[in-house]
Amino acid sequence: MLNESYQATKRNIYKEINTTLGDLQQLESRFEASKLQFHGRIEKEYEEWSYQLDLQRRKLEQRKRTLNDTEPRDITAFQNKIKLNVGGVIFETSLATLKREESSLLATMFSGKHVLKLDAEGSYFIDRDPTHFRLVLNYLRDLRISPAVIQDNTVCQELLHEAQYYRIEGLIKLLQQ
């Protein structure tokens, strides 16, 4: 009897093991099917994203070509040290000084977007009275004006006129105070 009970228990355990193995095999089959389905979806999405990215890249390249076609062809490159011939007087300054006020005429001239020609002496000619240009450059260097200049009403008015011509807003505001 004990032997029969043992054999029955053994058969039940083997049956449970076989049932569990069958369940595991079914689970593994479902897992493999899900894995294949998942990989298929990922591959499909990857292909779609790749296509979309390639499409966007081509559009951006076309846009870049279009923009390049509308920009000036002869963009001037400047050295850091710039020589200016203002009304026959030579001034030397840095490119950074000329570009100090971004909306000024000088910053626009030396932005690199406009073709400027050097004269025979290697200077850029500006057809203006040179009398107060030194003060204009000094303002762009230091963002201040000497008190002696501000106290001289005539010089102050003439410098204001030059500041307006060169569109140097900070200097205009300073002189109009």
Side-chain angles (χ1 to χ4, degrees):
M1 181 113 151
L2 190 58
N3 194 17
E4 284 178 30
S5 175
Y6 170 75
Q7 291 298 329
T9 304
K10 186 177 168 183
R11 278 192 301 273
N12 286 339
I13 290 175
Y14 280 131
K15 194 187 244 184
E16 283 181 37
I17 289 174
N18 281 333
T19 303
T20 303
L21 282 175
D23 291 346
L24 284 174
Q25 287 173 341
Q26 285 178 353
L27 187 60
E28 187 175 358
S29 293
R30 285 196 317 251
F31 174 77
E32 288 298 321
S34 293
K35 186 171 93 173
L36 286 173
Q37 187 180 24
F38 175 76
H39 283 286
R41 274 188 284 156
I42 293 295
E43 191 171 321
K44 184 178 177 184
E45 285 183 30
Y46 174 80
E47 288 173 7
E48 178 64 26
W49 288 355
S50 294
Y51 173 77
Q52 291 297 327
L53 284 173
D54 189 51
L55 190 62
Q56 287 178 352
R57 181 189 55 78
R58 282 186 264 140
K59 286 179 182 178
L60 286 172
E61 285 175 353
Q62 179 62 35
R63 176 83 173 126
K64 183 179 175 183
R65 281 192 296 275
T66 302
L67 288 174
N68 287 339
D69 289 345
T70 61
E71 289 180 4
R73 295 277 184 218
D74 298 321
I75 295 180
T76 306
F78 298 102
Q79 300 296 319
N80 189 40
K81 184 176 160 185
I82 306 288
K83 273 175 53 172
L84 300 172
N85 177 345
V86 181
V89 177
I90 302 297
F91 294 89
E92 289 189 21
T93 190
S94 70
L95 182 59
T97 296
L98 295 173
K99 293 171 79 173
R100 185 79 178 258
E101 279 212 20
E102 293 177 4
S103 62
S104 73
L105 176 65
L106 293 168
T108 302
M109 285 174 62
F110 290 93
S111 66
K113 294 179 182 177
H114 304 282
V115 178
L116 299 177
K117 302 228 187 263
L118 288 168
D119 63 18
E121 291 79 36
S123 302
Y124 297 98
F125 181 73
I126 299 175
D127 191 15
R128 293 296 288 176
D129 185 339
T131 306
H132 300 299
F133 192 73
R134 174 183 62 83
L135 298 173
V136 169
L137 285 179
N138 284 341
Y139 171 78
L140 290 173
R141 289 178 183 122
D142 304 327
L143 295 179
R144 65 181 186 86
I145 291 293
S146 164
V149 171
I150 293 175
Q151 291 173 358
D152 186 329
N153 197 34
T154 303
V155 172
C156 201
Q157 288 304 311
E158 291 172 354
L159 184 55
L160 176 61
H161 182 70
E162 292 301 299
Q164 289 168 334
Y165 174 79
Y166 290 112
R167 296 189 322 256
I168 303 172
E169 294 300 320
L171 182 55
I172 293 168
K173 287 178 186 173
L174 183 67
L175 294 169
Q176 288 179 336
Q177 289 179 349

